[in-house]
Amino acid sequence: MTDRYASFVQTGAGRTLVKRLGLPDPPRLRRHTPGDPLVPGPVLLGSSSGGRLAEPVGKVLTAAGVELVDPAAATDAAARFAALVYDASGISDSTGLRQLYDFFHPQARALLPSGRVIVLGTPPAECGSPREATAQRALEGLTRSIGKEFGRGVTAQLVYVTKDADAGTPVSLESTLRFLLSGRSAYVSGQVIRVGAGTAAAPADWDRPLDGQVVLVTGAARGIGAALARVLARDGATVVALDIPAAGDELAAVANEIGGSAVQLDLTAPDAPTRLAQHLASRHGRVDVVVHNAGITRDKTLGRMDADRWDSVIDVNLSSQERINDVLLERDLIPAGGRIVSVSSIAGIAGNRGQTNYATSKAGVIGLVDSLAPVLRERGISLNAVAPGFIETRLTARIPLMIREAGRRMNSMAQGGLPLDVAETIGWLSWPASGAVSGNVVRVCGQSLLGA
């Protein structure tokens, strides 16, 4: 689906009109292409007094070929940076927050278009005193505000790193830093990501971080699911693409395009989990990554909604995930080091008129992550979710024009995201190197104003 307004504002006449009338100004976003450098320029790396993360972060970025600049050496007022990275883990009370101002204030206009801001801290629950926890929680307000202030496609994220995450080992942080600094995270902003202890293995080639992995993608015939299959295959995975029999032709086309295999299966059938488990066991012996993407909408206001609409949405979007997880885990088909990624929605965070069934199911996915991730962590398996906002698909193309335009513009990027943006985020959470990332719900919404 084409965003004609976003295309128009890139023209000379469009630029003039935007400036005169103060209209939304969607920037061109930097997205990932294999072979791209991690960042298109130098990175300014700063640290609070007593910060524990700047040194391992510096090692990771230097090894990745990034040119690092120390704030003490950043004396050129004309200097421009691809990213500002700040270790705030040493801030132990509210008076120390002044260090954030001292670092970011001089550089507020120094970022290149589609630049990146990353602040690293300690989870408040792990802090040694109430004052330290207060200061660390304050970081969230900083990054969310920067994401809305800096514009021009700049993203801002807060990464909490637990004290048991073995920060001295670069791979504990590397996958998250690589994702957030790269074009893969173009439509992810204002997020809080937690990196903890977990099984993580760096790939031989960061352009193919899923080499040797068997990945199941449900709902793979079209839209986000098809984009997922393509991205995961591009990153080296053997993809098992699943969808309902009615979508068989489209599913086969996707599977053939990426060199994967197609499975036609209705996930609501009573024997679906068992049949799926048997297929994976016989063909592959395991499944390293399970991506629960299949989902439906059956919209009506609650007072006008029949029971079938309610039941079908809950069953497909939530209950089928639970049933599949139960069987695959019971049969040990997801090995230690495995990944489960579920697709939620900002509707599950903010709610949405006419979608009580859908919002309930997607909030349930978040509940699934909260409740099951700690259990799976003991088995060396990570569980995360993504929550897409307004994504340009055939479904959103059917939304009435004015509502569609509002959905596109009501975020820090002033535009809708692409299925690719959701796929890139799920890809990162699927990497073997991302084992230290679990229990997260990452919004892919351009920092939507809804539920913010």
Side-chain angles (χ1 to χ4, degrees):
M1 180 169 56
T2 302
D3 184 344
R4 294 180 180 177
Y5 174 83
S7 300
F8 172 68
V9 300
Q10 299 298 330
T11 67
R15 302 299 306 165
T16 300
L17 197 61
V18 163
K19 290 181 179 179
R20 285 183 179 177
L21 300 181
L23 297 173
D25 187 6
R28 257 186 226 281
L29 303 183
R30 173 171 64 94
R31 290 188 166 93
H32 173 71
T33 300
D36 283 350
L38 184 57
V39 287
V43 171
L44 189 68
L45 175 61
S47 178
S48 57
S49 300
R52 63 187 171 86
L53 299 169
E55 183 178 352
V57 167
K59 290 179 179 178
V60 164
L61 298 184
T62 299
V66 173
E67 177 189 351
L68 293 181
V69 177
D70 187 284
T75 56
D76 183 358
R80 293 293 178 265
F81 301 104
L84 307 176
V85 180
Y86 189 76
D87 172 16
S89 64
I91 298 178
S92 58
D93 61 36
S94 59
T95 62
L97 295 171
R98 173 58 189 269
Q99 296 175 79
L100 300 170
Y101 173 87
D102 292 340
F103 178 78
F104 285 106
H105 171 69
Q107 310 300 338
R109 296 177 179 84
L111 276 171
L112 295 168
S114 288
R116 303 288 187 254
V117 173
I118 300 175
V119 176
L120 301 121
T122 300
E126 287 195 358
C127 291
S129 70
R131 287 196 173 192
E132 183 183 4
T134 298
Q136 291 296 310
R137 178 59 178 80
L139 302 177
E140 191 170 332
L142 172 84
T143 52
R144 291 193 191 281
S145 297
I146 284 175
K148 294 177 178 178
E149 278 190 12
F150 281 17
R152 300 178 303 126
V154 170
T155 66
Q157 327 288 351
L158 171 59
V159 180
Y160 282 132
V161 183
T162 64
K163 293 179 180 178
D164 66 349
D166 190 15
T169 303
V171 72
S172 298
L173 281 173
E174 186 165 6
S175 74
T176 298
L177 291 171
R178 280 182 172 271
F179 171 70
L180 294 178
L181 288 171
S182 74
R184 298 177 190 264
S185 62
Y187 203 63
V188 176
S189 189
Q191 298 306 289
V192 179
I193 296 164
R194 289 168 174 79
V195 178
T199 303
D205 181 356
W206 280 101
D207 268 340
R208 292 181 61 83
L210 286 168
D211 258 343
Q213 299 287 290
V214 177
V215 180
L216 168 69
V217 179
T218 68
R222 60 179 72 89
I224 291 172
L228 260 169
R230 295 183 182 105
V231 165
L232 298 173
R234 178 203 71 192
D235 286 355
T238 297
V239 177
V240 179
L242 182 151
D243 217 311
I244 57 176
D249 290 344
E250 291 174 291
L251 182 67
V254 171
N256 290 336
E257 176 189 340
I258 64 173
S261 60
V263 176
Q264 297 182 29
L265 186 63
D266 180 353
L267 295 178
T268 65
D271 63 345
T274 300
R275 290 171 58 193
L276 176 59
Q278 291 172 343
H279 175 85
L280 292 170
S282 63
R283 292 291 186 90
H284 304 284
R286 71 187 197 284
V287 59
D288 299 295
V289 182
V290 176
V291 182
H292 292 294
N293 169 69
I296 61 172
T297 57
R298 298 290 184 268
D299 297 350
K300 282 284 185 182
T301 56
L302 187 57
R304 297 176 180 273
M305 184 182 297
D306 59 78
D308 286 344
R309 287 176 184 266
W310 178 274
D311 291 341
S312 61
V313 169
I314 298 296
D315 196 23
V316 173
N317 296 2
L318 179 58
S319 300
S320 69
Q321 294 191 22
E322 295 177 307
R323 292 191 296 265
I324 290 169
N325 288 344
D326 287 348
V327 171
L328 296 182
L329 292 168
E330 180 183 312
R331 300 189 180 195
D332 289 325
L333 286 172
I334 305 176
R339 311 280 178 257
I340 301 175
V341 187
S342 293
V343 177
S344 180
S345 168
I346 62 167
I349 297 169
N352 203 14
R353 187 182 187 279
Q355 289 193 316
T356 52
N357 51 359
Y358 183 77
T360 299
S361 70
K362 294 303 186 179
V365 169
I366 295 172
L368 177 68
V369 171
D370 291 342
S371 60
L372 190 55
V375 177
L376 294 183
R377 192 176 289 118
E378 297 178 3
R379 297 177 58 166
I381 298 170
S382 73
L383 170 60
N384 296 281
V386 298
F390 187 98
I391 304 298
E392 303 279 359
T393 65
R394 286 191 289 186
L395 286 177
T396 52
R398 299 176 192 149
I399 297 172
L401 176 62
M402 296 308 294
I403 298 175
R404 186 167 71 239
E405 281 302 301
R408 282 171 168 161
R409 310 307 162 207
M410 290 178 63
N411 60 74
S412 296
M413 303 299 170
Q415 61 193 284
L418 303 179
L420 172 67
D421 298 319
V422 182
E424 295 282 21
T425 306
I426 291 173
W428 156 60
L429 293 170
S430 301
W431 296 348
S434 297
V437 182
S438 190
N440 289 268
V441 178
V442 181
R443 290 173 50 163
V444 187
C445 62
Q447 199 177 8
S448 172
L449 302 182
L450 298 176

